[in-house]
Amino acid sequence: MSASIDALEIIISKHSMSTKAPWYAALPAPRSSPPSLSREEFLGWMRQGKQAGKDYVLVDVRRNDYEGGTIRGSLNLPAQSLHPTIPTLYSLISNSSAESVIWYCGSSTGRGTRCAAWFADYLEEKKDTKIKSLILTGGIKGWAAAGEEFTSLMDGYDAAVWTQ
């Protein structure tokens, strides 16, 4: 019987290690559902002369998968450490002329969406209707796959990363 209990404890131990809670589990669930901004629309902004840091803030929330380049003008603020910095980020943005914060990750279906929602929640708490929190549709993968007119606007673009 002791061998069976030992085997069961090993199975339980292995199972609990493989079902580790996701990084965001200890953080508040987002309440907002921010709108999306298509890569084509954002490319239009860039071509119209809108500037990162002046007209918008572009945030790349990748951490371990931060490779292959980033969209020109992006700040890298990894999602895993973003939540406690939102008040400071808001203070900086609200004292600038930027009216939009655009968030993205690899695909913008996980971290980018979550971060955009957290920021939108904070905007709502502050009753700030001037700043918009937006999700870049398709994330960096969609941007890199959309062709040369998009990749030419990436810093550190490495085609080998995107063709694997």
Side-chain angles (χ1 to χ4, degrees):
M1 180 112 153
S2 176
S4 297
I5 292 174
D6 289 343
L8 184 59
E9 286 176 351
I10 290 170
I11 292 169
I12 291 170
S13 175
K14 284 182 181 179
H15 177 71
S16 66
M17 284 190 287
S18 66
T19 58
K20 182 180 172 193
W23 64 268
Y24 54 83
L27 299 169
R31 298 180 310 275
S32 301
S33 295
S36 293
L37 178 69
S38 74
R39 66 181 155 269
E40 293 81 11
E41 187 174 358
F42 182 54
L43 178 65
W45 287 14
M46 295 173 92
R47 287 186 172 156
Q48 291 166 12
K50 288 190 177 186
Q51 297 175 9
K54 179 181 175 196
D55 302 301
Y56 61 86
V57 174
L58 183 60
V59 185
D60 182 341
V61 298
R62 295 177 294 157
R63 182 178 69 172
N64 295 339
D65 57 337
Y66 187 78
E67 60 185 6
T70 191
I71 301 169
R72 189 158 300 137
S74 297
L75 296 173
N76 180 235
L77 302 174
Q80 294 80 353
S81 56
L82 177 77
H83 194 270
T85 69
I86 288 175
T88 302
L89 182 61
Y90 171 76
S91 179
L92 292 169
I93 294 168
S94 65
N95 286 299
S96 76
S97 58
E99 294 183 358
S100 300
V101 182
I102 306 159
W103 304 87
Y104 70 93
C105 60
S107 63
S108 289
T109 59
R111 295 165 294 178
T113 299
R114 182 173 302 282
C115 293
W118 280 332
F119 195 73
D121 291 346
Y122 195 79
L123 292 172
E124 187 177 309
E125 288 171 23
K126 292 294 184 182
K127 299 181 180 8
D128 188 323
T129 57
K130 177 188 162 224
I131 302 170
K132 293 176 180 57
S133 185
L134 305 168
I135 304 161
L136 182 62
T137 305
I140 190 69
K141 290 177 184 176
W143 187 273
E148 203 271 326
E149 68 180 325
F150 292 88
T151 59
S152 67
L153 295 170
M154 289 177 68
D155 292 329
Y157 175 68
D158 180 355
V161 171
W162 305 109
T163 56
Q164 294 177 9

